[in-house]
Amino acid sequence: MISDILTAGVFASMIRLATPYLFASIGEMFGQRSGVFNLGVDGIMLMGAFFSFYAVLSTGSLLLGVLVAIIVGAILGLAMAFVSVTLKAEQGISGIGLYLFGLGMSELLFQKWVGTPQSVDGFPRIHFPVLSDIPVIGEIFFNHNLLVYVAFALVPISAYILNKTSFGLSIRAVGQNPQAADAMGVNVRRVRYTTVTIGGILASMAGASLSIALLDVFQQNITGGLGFIAVALVYFGRWRPYGVLVGALLFSFVNALQLQVSAIGIEIPTEFAVMAPYVITIIALVFASRQTEKPDALNKPFERGES
């Protein structure tokens, strides 16, 4: 029975399903490392999912779909940064407001501009000569679309940026002690604007990965709260890219396993299958919270001159 469930297809699905988690969580990690907590990730994902889908539906261009997702994410990221950094509004409430905006606006635009569910020709899978033909290994690792590989490439890239560059040092300094960073000449507001905007772009790309790469459709609330799990994964991964990767693979494995169990005829109540990822999230956070190393300035507005 176990061998029937743990097939190569399950692990291949795990890799694919980890894509939106990685995009959204890596982006949120950058914002939180600089001290800004964004609960609006799911709303940005929904907007990115809709606009990228609509661009591809209207033009057939996947490149345009990605560019539109980047622009939408940048705009919403800047909006979140303006409210949280410049206006110094309470970050949690601002994020919830952004989420509700994305949820309502994406549904409204879908009803007005599309109306009925339609599919698009999303990103095709890439075939690597020789590698894709390797039994088991080829199916698991070398049979995915472009956005899957981009999402996984973000992990080492973000680790390098945070740990090996002056910009990464500025992010970490601002997240730990913005007053000290400001005294050393670091522009705190610029760093936070930049990281939150990066977070918005990657959250929007997470939504695009759903609508034009994994599912090739858009439907109301297509994320199903995935953005909130992505925020939790930042805590689970202890604000480190490779920790986030482990968390993303764990939760995508749960989803892939759920699909496989249903496919081979094992009857599990639908309600249990739907809530499984969220239960795993809660359990994982309970254990992860015992050794948290969150940035000291997380969720705290910066005021020049405060000690």
Side-chain angles (χ1 to χ4, degrees), residues 191-272:
V191 169
R192 288 186 169 179
Y193 259 86
T194 301
T195 56
V196 176
T197 302
I198 290 173
I201 291 172
L202 293 182
S204 186
M205 284 299 300
S209 73
L210 287 172
S211 62
I212 63 174
L214 295 179
L215 303 177
D216 297 341
V217 297
F218 180 84
Q219 59 189 28
Q220 295 173 342
N221 196 22
I222 189 175
T223 59
L226 187 152
F228 293 100
I229 294 181
V231 173
L233 287 179
V234 179
Y235 284 77
F236 176 86
R238 298 170 67 182
W239 295 270
R240 291 174 171 81
Y242 288 102
V244 168
L245 172 62
V246 171
L249 290 174
L250 170 64
F251 294 108
S252 61
F253 177 75
V254 172
N255 286 325
L257 197 61
Q258 165 196 326
L259 295 174
Q260 178 67 9
V261 165
S262 300
I264 65 175
I266 298 177
E267 294 191 8
I268 294 179
T270 304
E271 293 79 8
F272 178 80

Side-chain angles (χ1 to χ4, degrees), residues 125-205:
R125 297 183 183 183
I126 300 173
H127 180 81
F128 294 91
V130 181
L131 294 176
S132 295
D133 299 322
I134 300 174
V136 182
I137 299 297
E139 181 180 356
I140 295 175
F141 296 106
F142 303 106
N143 191 29
H144 304 288
N145 64 68
L146 178 62
L147 293 189
V148 174
Y149 297 110
V150 171
F152 277 84
L154 283 175
V155 177
I157 291 172
S158 59
Y160 178 82
I161 291 173
L162 283 173
N163 299 314
K164 302 294 183 179
T165 67
S166 58
F167 177 57
L169 178 61
S170 296
I171 293 174
R172 290 183 282 124
V174 168
Q176 289 299 122
N177 192 330
Q179 283 73 30
D182 179 64
M184 296 178 64
V186 176
N187 190 320
V188 175
R189 292 185 178 180
R190 182 183 299 168
V191 169
R192 288 186 169 179
Y193 259 86
T194 301
T195 56
V196 176
T197 302
I198 290 173
I201 291 172
L202 293 182
S204 186
M205 284 299 300

Side-chain angles (χ1 to χ4, degrees), residues 64-131:
L64 182 61
V66 171
L67 290 176
V68 167
I70 291 172
I71 293 171
V72 169
I75 292 172
L76 293 176
L78 284 169
M80 180 65 187
F82 176 74
V83 173
S84 299
V85 179
T86 300
L87 299 183
K88 300 180 179 64
E90 207 287 322
Q91 295 174 10
I93 295 176
S94 301
I96 292 297
L98 182 57
Y99 160 67
L100 293 174
F101 169 79
L103 177 64
M105 185 59 69
S106 62
E107 290 187 4
L108 175 63
L109 293 177
F110 176 74
Q111 292 293 338
K112 293 293 185 181
W113 293 358
V114 182
T116 59
Q118 300 182 48
S119 62
V120 296
D121 293 326
F123 280 90
R125 297 183 183 183
I126 300 173
H127 180 81
F128 294 91
V130 181
L131 294 176

Side-chain angles (χ1 to χ4, degrees), residues 25-41:
S25 298
I26 293 294
E28 175 66 6
M29 180 199 66
F30 272 105
Q32 290 196 21
R33 289 297 293 263
S34 72
V36 180
F37 179 66
N38 182 8
L39 270 180
V41 171

